[in-house]
Amino acid sequence: APLALKDQFVVDVGDRVFFSFDRFDVEQDQKKVLDVQAAWLKKYSSVTVTIEGHADERGTREYNLALGERRANSAKNYLVSLGIAANRIRTVSYGEERPVATASTPEAWAKNRRAVTVVINY
C-alpha cells in the first residue's frame, strides 16, 4: 500500500532540521531540507503542519522552551519566505522535554537540537 502522506513526508522529504548549540538561525546546509519541504507543501496545498522546536538538556527548562520556540519559528519563517502560507504552519516548543537521544554526549545533544515538521491535516 502507498505510504500515508504523513509517512511519505518523513521518508521522502525529511522532517527535521538541526541547529548549532544555543543558536536558532537555520544554517545553509539545513535550508536544503526546508527547500524540499516547501516544494512538497506546494504540491500538497491542503496539508497543514506543526513545527516542533526542541533543545538539548543544557540550560534551564524555561530557556530551552524559549529556544525551541525560536527554532520552530525560524523554520516556519524560512518556509513562509519560500511561499508557504503562514496559516498552514503552527509552531510548538517542547524545549528539552522530548529528546530523541538520551545520552549526555555531544552526539546526542546535536540530535536533540532540532525542529521537526509534522504533517497534521491532509
Side-chain angles (χ1 to χ4, degrees), residues 41-42 44-50 84-90:
L41 287 166
K42 283 176 183 166
Y44 296 100
S45 56
S46 63
V47 167
T48 58
V49 297
T50 296
I84 305 304
N87 65 3
R88 294 177 61 194
I89 307 168
R90 287 183 48 241

Side-chain angles (χ1 to χ4, degrees), residues 71-91:
R71 286 174 174 162
N73 279 314
S74 282
K76 174 180 177 169
N77 292 340
Y78 186 73
L79 289 173
V80 169
S81 79
L82 297 174
I84 305 304
N87 65 3
R88 294 177 61 194
I89 307 168
R90 287 183 48 241
T91 59

